[in-house]
Amino acid sequence: MLDPAELEALLLSLRVGFWSVLCSLPVGLAAAWLLARREFPGKALLDGLVHLPLVLPPVVVGYLLLLGFGRQGPLGALLQDWFGVTLAFTWQGAALASAVMAFPLMVRAMRLSIEAVDRSLEAAARTLGSGPLQVFATVTLPLMAPGILAGAILGFARSLGEFGATITFVSNIPGETRTLPNALYTYTQQIDGEGPALRLAAISIVLALLALAGSELLARRLKRRLAD
Amino acid sequence: MLEIDVDKRLGDFRLDVKVDFEVSGIVALFGRSGSGKTSLVNLLAGLLRPDRGRIAVDGRLLFDGAARVDLPPERRRLGYVFQDARLFPHLDVRDNLLYGRRRVPRAERASDRFRQVDLERVVALLGLQALLGRRPRDLSGGEKQRVALGRALLSAPSLLLMDEPLAALDQARKEEVLPFVEALRDELGIPIVYVSHSMDEILRLADSMVLLSEGRAVAYGPLEELTSRLDLRPLTGRYEAGAVISVTVAGLDLAYGLSELRFAGGSLLVPRLSAPIGSRLRLRIRARDVSLALSPPGGLSIQNVLPAVVADIGGESGLSDDGGEARPQVDVRLDLNGAALWARVTRRALDELQLAPGKAVYALIKTSAIDRFSLGRPPGRRFLPPG
């Protein structure tokens, strides 16, 4: 059904999406918690920073990543020296670009779900012998779980569609960074590329619809669950 | 012994409570809404932090501003039953019940307090068997409150705080939960601080009372004593105001369906009670249900006519709060051989009868004025008024 190049692009996209979500989830959760629950100097700055990828041109994000995490970039050199990890022009770099671009959506979904958690339940848990961390693990987290899943799916869907930052940061290398959007872009640059491009577009649409359906399903479960 | 000496500013409201009292059985924390009851309980539980002061339970320091002691709520070992049950919606009833129990510190698991309650006993005591597998959203208000009660109990607290646990329930649901609270008191003997603004509940459950007004503890003492004090009148309530007396069930008139209750001031006939003869009860007689006469009246339907002496007249209660306009009614405190009773009469009657302290009168109490909501039961005996 899919030819090898399409399959490669699809699997790569799924892999990049999976890792970008997995790695940004804990960071996103921490950011969501800070924004929802804490007052601290610089909160507005953090809020702005988290939302920046939403309003910046993706190319700018990609370029900034290249500056920071490229081989010559300060962070990129550090990662290379300490862990032997290269991000520039690798699929891991694509995952980072996706993660950064998806971050605001993910944080937003999780922040809303934290704000929906009844804090009086947390107080009750404290009087029953749970410390703050235990309260978070046994009350807050389970109650916001549907929101976390929704945020993850949203982030995953966003990362499947990531193009601008990815192509700027890690280029468009077949088998390494040629994700679905990159492959589609490649076909549109070729003579007689309309057919394959259309097929990739169809695959993308199916994937997006699946993600949307999943998130809708979870949103309903969340509503039911919080309707105590 | 609960020692409280705390100061807390909450917006425009200032809570400044200094009171020490022994918690045995149920101590009621009574005050109007806005008097700071809930804030005080939250300070005890550690959910609010005092600006300064000291809180200790049985010599165990929970908070001391000067010594920088401030135990977090999870280490205070106090049970808390909230007005809204606050059950965890993601857990079933069984896991809700065990939530606190699973977190009892290891060191305390050998204690009597921990071992005298277990899931089985609490489930039996609170009638929760059929609910164990259910989710909180499938429970009625009364059932939720019973589960919340069990959950707090199972954490083996040294003291149980109950913040108007029945206030959100209708009368039928209240009647469903009240016997369980009585059972706790009688069978587990766990000390309870019971917050309420309902005299009915307090009368039924509590032995002593802390009176809270505008953020201050105004008085502490046995129920009978506080309800008979003239200076506390404006606080113990105007419309529902009445005296609380201890009585003994002395006899039963089967033909007429009446019970005879005896107390220091004489005997009273009330609609038949299911309490056995010899049992001791607490009875509230509202001031508005008591009338006065100068001589024993004849040809009267009222069965309870008791000789009394006017002890005091609530002069100031004849004035409105701003001291201006005169109110039409006055509360008169009566002394019936040591027992206090209140009568609410009009100012006009006061003048016509020339009532003054020391004057001998007769107190008239309608039998039907004493209903099941006027009855309480001191701890130690099982008794339910007829439904």
Side-chain angles (χ1 to χ4, degrees):
Chain A
M1 212 173 103
L2 300 176
D3 72 31
E6 285 170 358
L7 194 66
E8 190 182 71
L10 175 63
L11 290 179
L12 181 66
S13 269
L14 291 176
R15 183 166 60 179
V16 165
F18 175 78
W19 283 101
S20 93
V21 167
L22 197 74
C23 295
S24 58
L25 212 53
V27 186
L29 188 61
W33 185 81
L34 278 174
L35 291 174
R37 288 292 176 81
R38 289 280 146 179
E39 292 304 323
F40 53 90
K43 181 172 173 174
L45 190 71
L46 177 69
D47 202 7
L49 221 63
V50 164
H51 284 97
L52 207 56
L54 208 59
V55 287
L56 270 184
V59 183
V60 174
V61 175
Y63 184 61
L64 289 176
L65 285 175
L66 194 58
L67 289 182
F69 289 92
R71 279 181 212 281
Q72 313 300 325
L75 294 167
L78 222 71
L79 283 174
Q80 178 69 56
D81 291 349
W82 289 9
F83 305 105
V85 174
T86 313
L87 290 178
F89 309 110
T90 63
W91 71 266
Q92 289 94 335
L96 175 66
S98 294
V100 170
M101 292 305 294
F103 200 64
L105 295 170
M106 190 184 252
V107 169
R108 194 173 201 86
M110 290 196 286
R111 181 179 176 174
L112 285 175
S113 74
I114 292 182
E115 282 166 357
V117 171
D118 185 353
R119 303 202 63 177
S120 71
L121 290 176
E122 299 177 1
R126 290 293 296 274
T127 68
L128 287 163
S130 279
L133 270 177
Q134 234 181 346
V135 169
F136 185 76
T138 59
V139 177
T140 319
L141 213 52
L143 288 179
M144 64 175 291
I148 294 178
L149 285 169
I153 286 185
L154 222 59
F156 185 69
R158 177 68 187 80
S159 98
L160 287 182
E162 217 308 296
F163 172 67
T166 307
I167 204 161
T168 315
F169 181 33
V170 293
S171 183
N172 185 0
I173 305 160
E176 185 69 34
T177 64
R178 184 167 288 176
T179 56
L180 278 176
N182 277 0
L184 205 157
Y185 172 73
T186 310
Y187 283 123
T188 60
Q189 301 301 302
Q190 290 171 3
I191 307 163
D192 300 333
E194 286 93 347
L198 212 59
R199 283 174 61 90
L200 286 179
I203 294 172
S204 296
I205 290 171
V206 169
L207 267 183
L209 284 178
L210 282 176
L212 209 66
S215 118
E216 183 60 32
L217 205 77
L218 288 166
R220 271 188 216 166
R221 272 191 54 190
L222 170 77
K223 248 174 123 180
R224 241 206 340 257
R225 193 158 182 167
L226 293 181
D228 168 29
Chain B
M1 178 71 112
L2 187 50
E3 299 160 65
I4 306 171
D5 175 10
V6 288
D7 220 325
K8 172 80 183 171
R9 188 170 285 283
L10 296 153
D12 288 337
F13 183 75
R14 182 157 172 251
L15 194 70
D16 179 11
V17 174
K18 189 172 186 338
V19 63
D20 296 351
F21 54 90
E22 197 64 55
V23 190
S24 61
I26 297 182
V27 176
L29 200 58
F30 180 80
R32 293 183 184 165
S33 52
S35 58
K37 303 185 295 285
T38 299
S39 301
L40 180 58
V41 172
N42 283 337
L43 286 172
L44 295 180
L47 298 179
L48 265 181
R49 194 191 145 95
D51 296 334
R52 53 135 234 108
R54 186 174 179 280
I55 301 168
V57 176
D58 294 330
R60 199 164 64 93
L61 204 56
L62 302 184
F63 180 88
D64 191 330
R68 295 184 175 279
V69 174
D70 182 13
L71 286 189
E74 63 269 22
R75 288 181 49 212
R76 296 201 173 192
R77 312 289 309 126
L78 303 180
Y80 197 151
V81 179
F82 300 88
Q83 186 172 337
D84 46 335
R86 299 196 190 180
L87 300 181
F88 303 123
H90 58 296
L91 303 177
D92 63 14
V93 167
R94 184 193 181 81
D95 284 334
N96 263 288
L97 285 170
L98 289 172
Y99 186 92
R101 187 150 192 91
R102 289 175 175 144
R103 286 163 181 83
V104 173
R106 229 168 270 284
E108 279 186 44
R109 300 201 172 200
S111 70
D112 291 342
R113 210 168 60 215
F114 180 82
R115 282 190 300 191
Q116 77 153 345
V117 288
D118 56 22
L119 186 64
E120 208 175 307
R121 178 144 192 226
V122 167
V123 163
L125 197 66
L126 297 172
L128 300 174
Q129 192 58 51
L131 309 179
L132 284 177
R134 292 217 221 144
R135 292 264 167 178
R137 64 168 171 270
D138 301 323
L139 302 179
S140 73
E143 288 169 339
K144 278 184 191 166
Q145 216 42 285
R146 270 151 61 196
V147 174
L149 207 56
R151 183 178 67 173
L153 274 179
L154 279 166
S155 68
S158 59
L159 180 74
L160 194 56
L161 305 169
M162 300 179 74
D163 182 18
E164 310 213 27
L166 306 181
L169 307 178
D170 58 36
Q171 192 58 46
R173 296 284 93 71
K174 277 183 192 162
E175 288 299 315
E176 174 196 320
V177 179
L178 266 169
F180 293 109
V181 181
E182 288 176 332
L184 290 190
R185 176 191 64 182
D186 299 345
E187 293 187 19
L188 297 180
I190 181 165
I192 297 174
V193 172
Y194 190 97
V195 173
S196 183
H197 66 259
S198 153
M199 257 300 167
D200 286 329
E201 279 169 42
I202 290 181
L203 169 72
R204 183 148 166 192
L205 297 171
D207 313 304
S208 53
M209 169 159 96
V210 175
L211 209 57
L212 217 58
S213 172
E214 288 166 12
R216 286 167 179 276
V218 182
Y220 161 68
L223 222 50
E224 287 86 344
E225 187 191 311
L226 292 199
T227 49
S228 69
R229 267 175 60 181
L230 187 67
D231 56 324
L232 300 177
R233 228 49 218 292
L235 303 176
T236 44
R238 174 150 278 281
Y239 177 73
E240 284 297 314
V244 174
I245 55 176
S246 294
V247 298
T248 308
V249 180
L252 182 61
D253 183 342
L254 277 175
Y256 288 107
L258 296 174
S259 290
E260 187 191 350
L261 307 176
R262 201 160 285 163
F263 73 114
S267 64
L268 289 166
L269 288 177
V270 302
R272 184 181 168 183
L273 305 171
S274 67
I277 289 175
S279 53
R280 291 176 56 78
L281 300 175
R282 214 159 29 218
L283 191 68
R284 182 177 53 155
I285 300 176
R286 284 172 289 233
R288 62 188 161 97
D289 293 328
V290 179
S291 309
L292 296 179
L294 291 180
S295 54
L300 195 67
S301 69
I302 293 179
Q303 297 284 314
N304 299 311
V305 179
L306 302 168
V309 175
V310 174
D312 215 341
I313 291 170
E316 64 277 78
S317 70
L319 298 175
S320 58
D321 291 335
D322 53 32
E325 200 179 326
R327 286 204 176 111
Q329 289 170 325
V330 176
D331 286 343
V332 176
R333 185 156 63 99
L334 306 170
D335 178 28
L336 291 82
N337 191 24
L341 212 59
W342 291 90
R344 181 160 301 171
V345 301
T346 60
R347 292 173 66 78
R348 192 183 147 102
L350 188 79
D351 289 343
E352 282 181 6
L353 267 57
Q354 294 180 322
L355 296 175
K359 185 148 182 139
V361 293
Y362 289 87
L364 315 179
I365 308 158
K366 267 186 90 156
T367 301
S368 58
I370 297 158
D371 54 27
R372 50 200 294 257
F373 300 121
S374 323
L375 287 165
R377 169 176 65 100
R381 282 179 194 81
R382 273 211 165 281
F383 154 73
L384 291 174

